[in-house]
Amino acid sequence: RTPQRVATMRARLRLLVTSVSSAMALQAPRVCVIGAGAAGLCAARRCLERGLSVSIFEQKPALGGVWRYEKGGVMYRDLVSNLPKEVMCFNPEEPFPSDFNSYVTHAQVHTYLQSYAEKHQISDLIRFDCQVSRVQRLHNGWKVFAKDAEQGEAEMGDFDGVFVCSGHFDKPSLPMLPGLQRLVDEVGVETKEIRAKDGRLPLLVHSRAYDSPEIFANKRVLVIGARASGTDVGREIATQAQEVSIVDKAREASERKTDVVTVRPLITSATVQENTSVLLAFADGSSTEVDCVVFATGYDYDYDFVDEDDVPLETEDRRVFPLYLQLFHADYPSLMFLGIPHSVVPFPLFDLQARLGVKYLLEGEGSGLPPPAKMREEIDRIDQERRAAGKRDKDAHYMGDKQWRYDMELLKLIRMSREGRVEWQPEDRPFLEWLHIARQMYEDGGKRRANWPGAPDDYRRLEYRIVGRTWHVFSADGELLTTGEGLDPDIGLDEAVEIIARLEDDAQPVVEDSAVAK
């Protein structure tokens, strides 16, 4: 062979490789990811590792979603997670920095997400300040429109799949409350930012507008709701306020908890006093006058960019319908909604949902998922069972203790072969070992929280550690409080899955506005 002939052969080989690579790129499914928060970044990462073409649209000027703090945003200034970082990471291969405390600030979570995006080369794929305005169904895919301040609405392209990762902590929920509804209709509720005018606060605000407690100095305040945000917001306000009353439907009797905080029964009436305060009467006959009422009543799901003329989608009463596995639109499964379940450990759940969603885009019905008609049948069956058990539609996305069974259902579908067999991979064992410990830590942390609203958050000073197959909890001064064990190394993965998925009890659902944010 002459050097010239060898050079020619090498050139032809390079051309062939380039042609094959180009063809593969052209055939790779195109995916739109709406939102660059934790769920959107995770979806993008899982798409990229399987060779999909990804476009990410984020309405804010930077990534992070609710974890990116800004004045007037959803996140409040001093928020600290109510889950330890050892539980919060996407998976054991993506841990939080070891020098962070177990209970991390919103800034530390944002740093974690920025590092995650850099590690997986996601940032350059995000189009910032670009709000998706319309998702329109095509014969075999989706057309996406978005708008920005400069160009208005414009077509962003056609896609084979859409991951909706826009979150559900933005549209305040203001439920019909006996005794208060007339006042809400007359006065209105501030939902963006709390500002004092001539020393007076708005009479009614939603916790979405809350940022810090100083503005409540020497004020009398009522907080409605005592789940995650109501408890935290009530506790913070109590450091500055003259008096804090807290109302939650789960509590019927008045009970003074501190010199400042009183838990009160349900409201029976509310009357504005000279446009400066609200006089409240309660079910036990007591009354109090307050300068401000804070609604810590959570958020509604809102996906107004989905064209409902083409794609049926209901979001009333905090229920997104019709979703199969709380993820896939039952009629058009290539439209996927990440992060719908609440009262969960969110990041690992996002990761499993994203992995299954990518598998569906690549394999279709060969992914182990049923056809759309069967998805509808399964949704109807679950709805009928829930209603027969006397549970509300608004609890459709509540998980709590059932999240672990859900996680395992997703993992088994991820590992399902075309022949219908679950085929475990070597990396599944360390993941299951970590998730088993994560569940124990999650349950331990829940037991350590005070069970009344506005309570001190001493549990956030605890430190959790994972050492091999054991985990430990230490007090703020280093005292060992608890030690737990991981999975038996001799058991098989099928048994490990059953152990993790086992329900400890059939806890009654409660509507919580967030596990980690207001």
Side-chain angles (χ1 to χ4, degrees):
R1 297 178 179 178
T2 65
Q4 183 178 2
R5 186 177 180 186
V6 171
T8 300
M9 292 176 64
R10 287 177 176 170
R12 289 176 177 172
L13 181 59
R14 285 195 297 270
L15 179 61
L16 177 61
V17 171
T18 301
S19 299
V20 171
S21 299
S22 299
M24 291 177 64
L26 288 173
Q27 294 171 4
R30 295 192 65 211
V31 180
C32 168
V33 176
I34 303 175
L41 297 175
C42 183
R45 178 263 171 110
R46 292 305 184 181
C47 287
L48 291 172
E49 73 175 0
R50 297 294 301 274
L52 279 64
S53 175
V54 182
S55 297
I56 309 166
F57 302 99
E58 168 57 49
Q59 64 179 339
K60 298 293 186 179
L63 63 81
V66 295
W67 294 103
R68 176 181 171 268
Y69 172 74
E70 61 178 340
K71 265 290 200 186
V74 177
M75 184 62 62
Y76 48 96
R77 186 189 68 190
D78 297 328
L79 181 137
V80 175
S81 70
N82 63 5
L83 299 174
K85 73 177 193 296
E86 290 76 14
V87 173
M88 280 186 65
C89 57
F90 287 112
N91 56 67
E93 302 304 315
E94 309 278 358
F96 276 76
S98 59
D99 58 343
F100 287 2
N101 292 335
S102 281
Y103 289 91
V104 287
T105 66
H106 58 71
Q108 290 173 321
V109 179
H110 189 234
T111 296
Y112 173 78
L113 295 177
Q114 287 177 311
S115 298
Y116 180 88
E118 292 170 6
K119 175 182 176 181
H120 297 293
Q121 301 180 349
I122 298 170
S123 300
D124 290 343
L125 303 175
I126 306 172
R127 182 166 176 175
F128 294 109
D129 293 312
C130 189
Q131 182 178 9
V132 170
S133 55
R134 193 156 37 113
V135 175
Q136 179 181 325
R137 183 172 61 89
L138 302 175
H139 174 67
N140 193 28
W142 306 91
K143 186 180 292 293
V144 174
F145 297 83
K147 57 185 177 182
D148 58 31
E150 296 179 358
Q151 299 180 355
E153 185 177 74
E155 181 180 326
M156 296 293 108
D158 296 349
F159 298 91
D160 300 289
V162 175
F163 281 102
V164 178
C165 305
S166 52
H168 48 86
F169 299 118
D170 189 59
K171 183 180 180 182
S173 177
L174 295 168
M176 300 284 286
L177 297 174
L180 265 180
Q181 194 57 46
R182 183 179 61 82
L183 186 61
V184 170
D185 293 339
E186 290 177 359
V187 178
V189 180
E190 175 58 54
T191 62
K192 296 298 184 182
E193 187 175 356
I194 303 173
R195 295 181 179 180
K197 184 176 181 181
D198 298 327
R200 298 176 183 173
L201 296 176
L203 292 177
L204 307 179
V205 304
H206 189 275
S207 61
R208 188 198 183 285
Y210 175 80
D211 181 66
S212 55
E214 289 81 9
I215 198 169
F216 294 94
N218 301 315
K219 300 295 185 182
R220 301 160 299 174
V221 181
L222 171 76
V223 178
I224 299 175
R227 304 295 183 241
S229 65
T231 296
D232 278 358
V233 169
R235 186 194 68 255
E236 288 195 9
I237 292 176
T239 64
Q240 301 288 326
Q242 173 185 328
E243 177 183 293
V244 176
S245 297
I246 296 180
V247 171
D248 185 85
K249 61 187 174 184
R251 301 180 181 267
E252 298 296 335
S254 292
E255 185 178 2
R256 179 167 287 278
K257 289 296 186 180
T258 71
D259 290 341
V260 176
V261 177
T262 301
V263 178
R264 296 188 179 275
L266 298 181
I267 300 166
T268 55
S269 68
T271 309
V272 175
Q273 303 291 298
E274 299 180 355
N275 292 322
T276 61
S277 62
V278 180
L279 178 63
L280 298 155
F282 301 97
D284 63 351
S286 64
S287 63
T288 192
E289 193 170 339
V290 300
D291 302 296
C292 182
V293 175
V294 179
F295 287 81
T297 47
Y299 297 84
D300 290 328
Y301 297 93
D302 182 27
Y303 305 106
D304 59 0
F305 49 79
V306 175
D307 189 340
E308 294 189 19
D309 291 336
D310 286 331
V311 183
L313 186 70
E314 300 174 16
T315 58
E316 290 78 15
D317 205 19
R318 292 187 179 178
R319 172 174 174 258
V320 185
F321 177 87
L323 294 188
Y324 179 71
L325 288 176
Q326 308 218 29
L327 172 60
F328 300 94
H329 192 286
D331 298 334
Y332 309 104
S334 60
L335 177 64
M336 295 160 283
F337 296 78
L338 262 65
I340 296 293
H342 70 83
S343 303
V344 298
V345 182
F347 289 11
L349 185 144
F350 297 163
D351 196 38
L352 290 167
Q353 288 185 321
R355 290 168 63 188
L356 182 59
V358 170
K359 181 184 181 185
Y360 177 79
L361 291 177
L362 290 170
E363 301 178 18
E365 292 186 10
S367 63
L369 297 181
K374 293 293 184 181
M375 290 185 182
R376 276 279 191 172
E377 291 178 8
E378 179 67 8
I379 294 170
D380 291 341
R381 182 189 67 78
I382 292 172
D383 281 351
Q384 290 172 7
E385 288 183 356
R386 183 180 64 255
R387 290 163 183 164
K391 297 178 181 178
R392 307 166 299 177
D393 279 354
K394 68 170 58 179
D395 296 320
H397 304 307
Y398 169 82
M399 288 262 176
D401 188 43
K402 297 177 178 62
Q403 66 182 292
W404 314 105
R405 177 171 291 179
Y406 176 76
D407 288 347
M408 293 302 93
E409 185 177 4
L410 296 181
L411 183 60
K412 286 194 285 187
L413 284 169
I414 290 167
R415 294 307 186 203
M416 187 78 69
S417 71
R418 290 182 176 272
E419 293 72 34
R421 298 189 302 271
V422 176
E423 297 180 347
W424 300 116
Q425 301 301 313
E427 62 267 27
D428 293 328
R429 178 169 287 278
F431 173 75
L432 290 171
E433 289 174 346
W434 169 76
L435 196 65
H436 178 59
I437 287 177
R439 173 175 180 168
Q440 294 177 69
M441 286 183 166
Y442 173 85
E443 293 169 348
D444 180 84
K447 293 172 183 176
R448 295 182 186 278
R449 296 180 202 136
N451 65 353
W452 55 274
D457 61 344
D458 295 338
Y459 74 92
R460 286 187 167 110
R461 288 185 280 277
L462 301 176
E463 290 295 325
Y464 286 77
R465 294 288 182 267
I466 299 175
V467 183
R469 291 182 47 257
T470 63
W471 59 276
H472 312 281
V473 188
F474 297 91
S475 68
D477 58 8
E479 178 187 357
L480 178 62
L481 302 178
T482 301
T483 293
E485 294 290 334
L487 290 169
D488 185 332
D490 295 327
I491 67 172
L493 293 188
D494 288 318
E495 186 178 352
V497 165
E498 291 304 314
I499 290 172
I500 294 170
R502 184 180 61 242
L503 295 178
E504 297 297 337
D505 57 69
D506 190 20
Q508 290 299 308
V510 293
V511 174
E512 293 195 79
D513 42 335
S514 174
V516 293
K518 66 174 181 176

